[in-house]
Amino acid sequence: MILEMNNIKKSFGSLEVLKDISLSVDKGEVVSIIGPSGSGKSTLLRCATFLETIDSGEVLYLGKAAVTTQDGKAEYVAPAELRKMRSCYGLVFQQFNLFPHYTVLKNIIDAPINVHKRPKAEVIAEAKALLEKMGLGDKADAYPCQLSGGQQQRVAIARALAMKPDILFFDEPTSALDPELTGEVLKVIKQLAEDNMTMVVVTHEMPFARAVSDRVIFMAEGVIVEQGHPEEVFGNPKEERTRQFLQNYQN
Amino acid sequence: MTLMTMIIKMSEGLGKTCAIFFLTLLFSLPLGMIVALLRMSKNRIISNIVRFFISILRGTPLMLQLLAVTYGPYYLFGLSVSRNKLIPVVVAFAINYAAYFAEIYRGGIESIPIGQYEAATVLGYSKFQTFFKIILPQVVKRILPSVTNEVITLVKDTSIAFTVSYQEMFTIGKQIANSQTSFTPFVVAGVFYFIFNAVVDFVMGKFEKRLDYYR
Amino acid sequence: MKKIIAIALALILMLSLCACGAKEAPAAETKTFIMGIDAEYPPFSYIDDEGNYGGFDVEICRAACEKLGWNFEVFGVNWDEKLVQLDAMECDCIWSGMTILDSMKEAGYVLSAPYYDSTQVLLVKADSGYTSSADLAGKLVAVQLGTSGESLLNGDLADLAATFEDVITCDSFLKCFTELDGNAVDAVFVDLPVATSYAAENEGFVIINENLGAEQYGIAFRSGDAELCAAMEGAVAELVADGTYAKIAENYPDIINNLIFLGQ
């Protein structure tokens, strides 16, 4: 197991966003999370990446606990431990969140060099190979503002990959893009799936989810309503709530 | 007195005007950052105390603050008044300008999208690295026009030092104006300040241009 | 005949018009005289404990205006800009222990006959041990910006000023004295009456017994206001003649000995 999340509960004030959710992801598995907005999909990712703290439950990476719950209260490991565990995963944001004052190359290599303290030459060579793979071989010296949204998102993916994560999270990676630019990003994710990258993708792109996922999770109102093989969930949903959602979506 | 003599006499005070200007910037720019960070402290007591002081410093005239710093210790505790007036002048100016810079910095820091912090956190940057490598350079670019404004104001504010009898350019100008019963020294002073600020404008413009490579 | 009537009518009309105009002249508003002072220059002009303008010059001017039947107003000028403010019609004269300078005459201002003979002195701390201007060689001396003391140090007494470490110009006497009391300067170069009244009210100060440059005080009017100056001088002369002047002066023992009109 790369990631294990058990009995996660999270509230914002009186609003219960995650109601006892459990999720585990195997090595090489591609999991898509779909569901209406406000269902808690993004919050689940943010809890998995420690951008939000959970109220109770457990999060484990590679079998090592980052959060445990004692007497109903979540307890995180020491901040230094937590920082180390961040190298297990990468996160691609909806808004890309590239560093605007760095070139494309510097965006990718800065963290490996300054956080992981890896040799510069090696990191640069890898970064260039990654850019090549993303179809951005000629953009190394450009600044993010000179790129299209699709190109920026591909740089963000390269930046996450340069950290050599065990698992990569995508938080609605194409939602901020113009429709004609989503294809180039989805293509890259598909390619990563073929390379056996472990991934969790929160998305509204149903055909894409159906095509690349090993497992699809349908979330609504803070719970997992249904999950299974994409053909099952999309082709023959068991739950009424799922059926409704997919129907609305097709319209 | 010829115009030339006036200009020469007044430029003797220009060194002191520059001393106020550069020393004030030297101390207030970093001090403002410390104040800004304290102002944004999660500790309510600290942030409220700092907020209170900022409101006093921004809400009262610099001239009064300068008088308070120079003569306050004497009136309150009977301490000696400083013989070298550059010290109280720079102290008062640096504190006052730090308050203004602090609010500019705070505005700049708060305008950086939260996503920048989150991206840095996820990539494993420490808080220190996040602030100095990711946030601060972007803040500098955003606040540069406001800082330029303050720096230009500072050039003109140096003339306030005359209230504590610091013999900078404007004080000398006033002296000449009096003894000669002439308005010309004020015109000369105006030209001096204008040239000074033209240089400031040029230099700050260069800085802004240098940061123009990204948006 | 018709012509005569027409001319007569025209004359009557003109006369009646003239009569109306002539009648209106005395009904014009009483003149208001605005006295320009430095409100921080006791005992000549200052704001008293009740917040009213007071001082020797203010009292004399008020009495003179009464004599002339004018309304009296006081305007506090910024001392080092006083002549600019006078020219800007913000006041009608500068009358506030003001030293008559040659430069003012050259600039065309109308100046009254001097009424006060002032002397510049050095005020020092009693425990400093300074007894002559020579003792202040290499020391710091403060002087108020725009006073006769300042112009003396830049002019006739420049040689003396050169022996000081430096001359500090303050924008008010309060600051000069604060600098002295706070040990930031070693002496204040100031008009004798000001030094006398300060030393009388505050302990620990002495005046170095050395007269440095005699000065004369007068009243400055705008160029072209010679008539106004003459009217005011006339009114003051009346005050001197009827004893009011001396009576007012009795309240100002510090300066009474320097008043020129009383010595005559």
Side-chain angles (χ1 to χ4, degrees):
Chain A
M1 281 304 166
I2 304 272
L3 167 70
E4 258 184 279
M5 298 177 86
N6 298 323
N7 310 99
I8 306 295
K9 287 183 185 166
K10 170 75 184 170
S11 302
F12 292 114
S14 59
L15 181 72
E16 224 182 330
V17 185
L18 299 178
K19 302 168 184 165
D20 198 11
I21 285 203
S22 297
L23 163 73
S24 46
V25 182
D26 252 333
K27 191 167 166 52
E29 202 180 6
V30 177
V31 179
S32 290
I33 305 178
I34 59 170
S37 37
S39 59
K41 318 177 292 277
S42 286
T43 308
L44 185 65
L45 278 202
R46 292 173 63 80
C47 287
T49 51
F50 315 136
L51 289 176
E52 299 284 356
T53 52
I54 60 171
D55 298 334
S56 72
E58 291 184 320
V59 179
L60 295 88
Y61 278 98
L62 304 168
K64 264 176 84 179
V67 204
T68 51
T69 293
Q70 267 149 20
D71 305 329
K73 259 196 83 179
E75 281 181 21
Y76 280 81
V77 295
E81 271 310 294
L82 207 61
R83 241 186 100 194
K84 260 187 222 159
M85 294 187 88
R86 289 187 193 281
S87 60
C88 295
Y89 63 82
L91 172 61
V92 175
F93 297 86
Q94 185 178 342
Q95 301 291 346
F96 334 135
N97 294 341
L98 293 176
F99 304 133
H101 56 306
Y102 286 170
T103 61
V104 164
L105 186 69
K106 179 118 166 122
N107 259 285
I108 299 171
I109 62 172
D110 195 66
I113 292 170
N114 289 303
V115 176
H116 286 177
K117 312 283 178 204
R118 293 179 49 204
K120 202 171 168 179
E122 186 187 309
V123 173
I124 290 176
E126 280 179 19
K128 288 197 164 153
L130 271 171
L131 279 173
E132 211 62 60
K133 200 169 153 190
M134 299 287 150
L136 295 169
D138 55 339
K139 299 290 185 197
D141 296 323
Y143 284 90
C145 61
Q146 298 166 316
L147 304 182
S148 72
Q151 290 171 326
Q152 288 192 49
Q153 191 61 299
R154 281 183 279 156
V155 173
I157 295 171
R159 179 173 73 175
L161 287 172
M163 300 297 280
K164 302 192 168 174
D166 299 294
I167 179 169
L168 195 50
F169 296 103
F170 292 83
D171 187 4
E172 305 195 17
T174 58
S175 293
L177 297 177
D178 292 335
E180 71 268 24
L181 297 176
T182 54
E184 55 188 79
V185 173
L186 295 179
K187 209 177 105 192
V188 165
I189 301 175
K190 211 176 230 170
Q191 195 185 337
L192 289 174
E194 280 158 17
D195 297 348
N196 276 328
M197 183 75 209
T198 313
M199 293 187 287
V200 176
V201 187
V202 170
T203 184
H204 290 296
E205 301 284 337
M206 299 306 156
F208 163 78
R210 190 168 186 167
V212 298
S213 316
D214 299 313
R215 176 157 50 115
V216 172
I217 294 176
F218 173 67
M219 269 182 81
E221 282 152 19
V223 294
I224 293 178
V225 176
E226 184 169 353
Q227 59 176 314
H229 193 271
E231 291 311 321
E232 263 172 59
V233 176
F234 285 107
N236 183 24
K238 289 190 204 75
E239 301 290 328
E240 176 59 28
R241 188 83 185 73
T242 319
R243 215 170 297 146
Q244 247 175 21
F245 171 75
L246 291 173
Q247 221 160 46
N248 282 346
Y249 226 86
Q250 271 154 10
N251 301 341
Chain B
M1 189 182 283
T2 64
L3 182 65
M4 205 54 219
T5 333
M6 256 179 216
I7 293 173
I8 290 168
K9 276 211 140 191
M10 286 172 74
S11 25
E12 282 166 16
L14 213 53
K16 288 184 171 177
T17 298
C18 289
I20 301 173
F21 176 79
F22 287 112
L23 288 173
T24 300
L25 284 186
L26 180 70
F27 293 115
S28 63
L29 284 170
L31 182 63
M33 185 51 79
I34 295 169
V35 175
L37 294 176
L38 289 176
R39 169 77 177 78
M40 291 187 291
S41 161
K42 286 196 181 98
N43 184 326
R44 273 279 177 78
I45 299 168
I46 294 177
S47 82
N48 277 330
I49 289 175
V50 173
R51 202 166 132 188
F52 176 69
F53 276 106
I54 289 176
S55 73
I56 287 184
L57 290 168
R58 298 205 307 171
T60 59
L62 173 56
M63 194 188 281
L64 285 188
Q65 293 165 25
L66 181 55
L67 286 175
V69 170
T70 311
Y71 300 117
Y74 158 76
Y75 279 115
L76 294 176
F77 314 113
L79 297 175
S80 287
V81 176
S82 173
R83 279 197 177 224
N84 182 356
K85 288 296 189 305
L86 183 60
I87 296 165
V89 167
V90 168
V91 169
F93 272 65
I95 292 174
N96 179 274
Y97 272 81
Y100 281 94
F101 285 137
E103 288 297 278
I104 292 175
Y105 293 156
R106 185 172 68 91
I109 291 170
E110 286 177 352
S111 76
I112 303 296
I114 186 98
Q116 291 290 309
Y117 291 93
E118 291 184 345
T121 309
V122 170
L123 288 169
Y125 287 102
S126 67
K127 282 203 161 155
F128 188 83
Q129 285 174 320
T130 303
F131 185 73
F132 284 100
K133 288 182 74 83
I134 309 300
I135 304 302
L136 193 58
Q138 298 185 54
V139 169
V140 169
K141 179 181 165 69
R142 284 179 192 223
I143 64 172
L144 214 50
S146 315
V147 169
T148 305
N149 254 341
E150 286 304 318
V151 174
I152 284 174
T153 308
L154 172 60
V155 171
K156 294 174 284 177
D157 273 356
T158 54
S159 65
I160 291 176
F162 91 88
T163 27
V164 294
S165 322
Y166 186 62
Q167 310 281 309
E168 43 70 57
M169 189 257 289
F170 193 68
T171 308
I172 295 177
K174 276 189 123 180
Q175 291 166 3
I176 299 173
N178 266 307
S179 59
Q180 302 294 309
T181 330
S182 153
F183 216 76
T184 321
F186 295 122
V187 178
V188 174
V191 172
F192 270 136
Y193 286 124
F194 182 76
I195 294 173
F196 199 150
N197 266 332
V199 174
V200 168
D201 213 29
F202 176 78
V203 172
M204 295 304 279
K206 282 263 162 187
F207 275 127
E208 278 183 43
K209 201 146 205 184
R210 198 180 264 191
L211 292 176
D212 246 3
Y213 63 87
Y214 73 91
R215 254 179 299 134
Chain C
M1 188 63 192
K2 268 186 185 171
K3 255 186 189 170
I4 296 173
I5 293 174
I7 290 170
L9 276 174
L11 272 173
I12 290 167
L13 203 71
M14 272 171 68
L15 278 173
S16 60
L17 276 174
C18 286
C20 286
K23 248 187 217 163
E24 264 174 19
E29 277 178 38
T30 338
K31 180 186 165 60
T32 296
F33 184 79
I34 306 171
M35 176 194 198
I37 63 160
D38 175 359
E40 286 184 64
Y41 199 66
F44 292 94
S45 51
Y46 55 90
I47 296 172
D48 66 19
D49 295 341
E50 279 89 45
N52 303 314
Y53 288 111
F56 178 71
D57 284 350
V58 174
E59 284 193 48
I60 295 292
C61 185
R62 185 183 285 127
C65 283
E66 255 169 51
K67 279 252 181 257
L68 292 163
W70 293 347
N71 286 331
F72 169 73
E73 261 180 41
V74 173
F75 177 78
V77 300
N78 182 351
W79 195 245
D80 40 305
E81 316 259 335
K82 54 187 180 289
L83 295 175
V84 176
Q85 288 179 294
L86 176 63
D87 283 336
M89 315 286 283
E90 288 182 271
C91 52
D92 295 317
C93 73
I94 301 294
W95 187 350
S96 190
M98 184 195 71
T99 304
I100 300 171
L101 297 176
D102 289 341
S103 65
M104 293 177 187
K105 287 178 192 157
E106 284 159 19
Y109 293 97
V110 174
L111 294 158
S112 73
Y115 62 94
Y116 181 88
D117 196 356
S118 129
T119 299
Q120 297 292 314
V121 290
L122 285 157
L123 182 78
V124 295
K125 282 197 154 181
D127 56 14
S128 65
Y130 302 132
T131 54
S132 77
S133 58
D135 289 346
L136 287 161
K139 304 292 180 196
L140 277 176
V141 176
V143 65
Q144 189 193 354
L145 192 59
T147 59
S148 51
E150 193 215 348
S151 33
L152 270 178
L153 290 180
N154 282 321
D156 294 349
L157 295 179
D159 291 343
L160 174 66
T163 66
F164 303 147
E165 182 195 335
D166 204 356
V167 175
I168 306 292
T169 48
C170 304
D171 61 351
S172 78
F173 272 123
L174 175 67
K175 276 181 203 157
C176 288
F177 293 133
T178 305
E179 298 269 334
L180 177 62
D181 201 15
N183 296 317
V185 298
D186 302 292
V188 177
F189 190 60
V190 61
D191 299 84
L192 175 62
V194 180
T196 311
S197 84
Y198 187 80
E201 277 169 31
N202 300 278
E203 265 178 47
F205 297 95
V206 292
I207 296 164
I208 290 182
N209 193 6
E210 192 174 340
N211 292 351
L212 297 163
E215 295 284 332
Q216 291 189 317
Y217 290 178
I219 313 163
F221 297 85
R222 277 182 292 275
S223 63
D225 271 352
E227 268 177 47
L228 186 64
C229 175
M232 193 47 81
E233 280 185 320
V236 173
E238 279 182 48
L239 292 176
V240 174
D242 69 12
T244 318
Y245 196 91
K247 212 168 165 193
I248 292 173
E250 274 171 23
N251 297 326
Y252 300 92
D254 294 341
I255 60 169
I256 198 161
N257 294 333
N258 301 57
L259 292 168
I260 295 171
F261 298 152
L262 294 185
Q264 285 164 349

